[in-house]
């Protein structure tokens, strides 16, 4: 499913890619919104609004589905995310927003996928120099450890304190 932003006469409008939609070729850069989905607020929609307002030419891949008619399939979701993470690594930025937990689920460690992906892409950044923007919301568990390890391994990466600042940093990295 695509959500089209308002057309800006100066730029081509972006595409918002949501599971299970694929787009093999995109005009322009892609930002992948990496971070928790379950147990937190819909920060992805806030990020999309930021980009539509400030950089409407940027394509966005958001793993948060907004189409309830699509039956969730774990393998399809993971494959979709992997494809678009790789595409953003090649043609844009991976934006990591560590949103704080707002609803606890005793059956699942909060942000378990995000934490794994973050470590994976931090390592790829160190080897391949991909572009990543990182932000941590106040109250995200484990933030102290992430900040410390990033300062040791990737001191050149600024860790942002707000979603807006993180989105702005992603745009800067594209330019």
């Amino acid at each position: 499913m695509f959500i089209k932003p308002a057309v800006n006469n100066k730029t081509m409008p972006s595409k918002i890619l949501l599971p299970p939609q694929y787009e093999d070729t995109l005009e322009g850069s892609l930002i992948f919104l990496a971070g928790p989905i379950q147990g937190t607020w819909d920060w992805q929609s806030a990020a999309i609004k930021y980009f539509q307002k400030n950089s409407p030419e940027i394509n966005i891949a958001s793993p948060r589905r907004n189409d309830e008619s699509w039956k969730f399939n774990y393998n399809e979701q993971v494959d979709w995310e992997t494809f678009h993470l790789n595409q953003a690594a090649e043609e844009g930025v991976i934006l990591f927003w560590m949103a704080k937990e707002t609803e606890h689920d005793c059956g699942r460690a909060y942000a378990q996928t995000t934490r794994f992906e973050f470590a994976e892409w931090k390592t790829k950044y160190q080897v391949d120099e991909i572009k990543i923007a990182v932000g941590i919301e106040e109250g995200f568990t484990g933030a102290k450890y992430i900040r410390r390890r990033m300062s040791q391994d990737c001191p050149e990466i600024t860790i942002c304190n707000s979603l807006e600042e993180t989105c702005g940093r992603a745009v800067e990295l594209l330019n």
Side-chain angles (χ1 to χ4, degrees):
M1 168 179 233
F2 291 113
I3 302 171
K4 290 274 192 174
V7 175
N8 178 330
N9 291 333
K10 297 178 184 175
T11 59
M12 292 293 297
S14 65
K15 290 185 178 178
I16 309 302
L17 304 171
L18 306 172
Q21 179 65 48
Y22 284 85
E23 184 80 17
D24 289 329
T25 57
L26 291 171
E27 289 186 31
S29 300
L30 177 69
I31 295 178
F32 184 92
L33 304 180
I37 297 172
Q38 296 176 331
T40 194
W41 59 287
D42 184 3
W43 65 269
Q44 293 88 349
S45 290
I48 290 169
K49 287 179 186 174
Y50 174 92
F51 292 117
Q52 288 177 329
K53 178 181 178 187
N54 297 291
S55 298
E57 72 284 358
I58 296 173
N59 300 296
I60 309 296
S62 173
R64 184 184 289 264
R65 299 173 315 279
N66 69 357
D67 183 0
E68 298 301 322
S69 67
W70 181 59
K71 185 173 175 164
F72 180 77
N73 178 299
Y74 179 81
N75 290 340
E76 282 183 359
Q77 180 77 19
V78 171
D79 293 348
W80 184 93
E81 290 183 25
T82 301
F83 176 87
H84 289 93
L85 279 162
N86 285 317
Q87 194 175 36
E90 290 178 19
E91 304 169 16
V93 175
I94 299 171
L95 181 153
F96 279 96
W97 176 243
M98 312 296 185
K100 69 180 177 183
E101 183 178 32
T102 58
E103 186 178 318
H104 186 66
D105 177 356
C106 292
R108 178 179 169 85
Y110 178 66
Q112 67 186 26
T113 303
T114 298
R115 294 169 197 272
F116 182 91
E117 287 175 344
F118 181 67
E120 176 185 18
W121 288 99
K122 176 190 138 320
T123 302
K124 289 182 181 185
Y125 164 82
Q126 291 173 289
V127 173
D128 299 329
E129 299 182 14
I130 63 166
K131 297 176 183 175
I132 59 174
V134 181
I136 303 175
E137 185 174 22
E138 181 69 34
F140 181 81
T141 56
K144 183 177 179 181
Y145 179 79
I146 293 170
R147 288 180 187 280
R148 177 67 179 157
R149 293 297 292 123
M150 288 297 288
S151 73
Q152 292 171 329
D153 293 348
C154 307
E156 65 284 356
I157 293 179
T158 301
I159 298 179
C160 304
N161 296 311
S162 72
L163 179 58
E164 185 173 319
E165 181 185 3
T166 309
C167 292
R169 181 67 185 133
V171 172
E172 288 174 16
L173 289 171
L174 290 175
N175 296 328

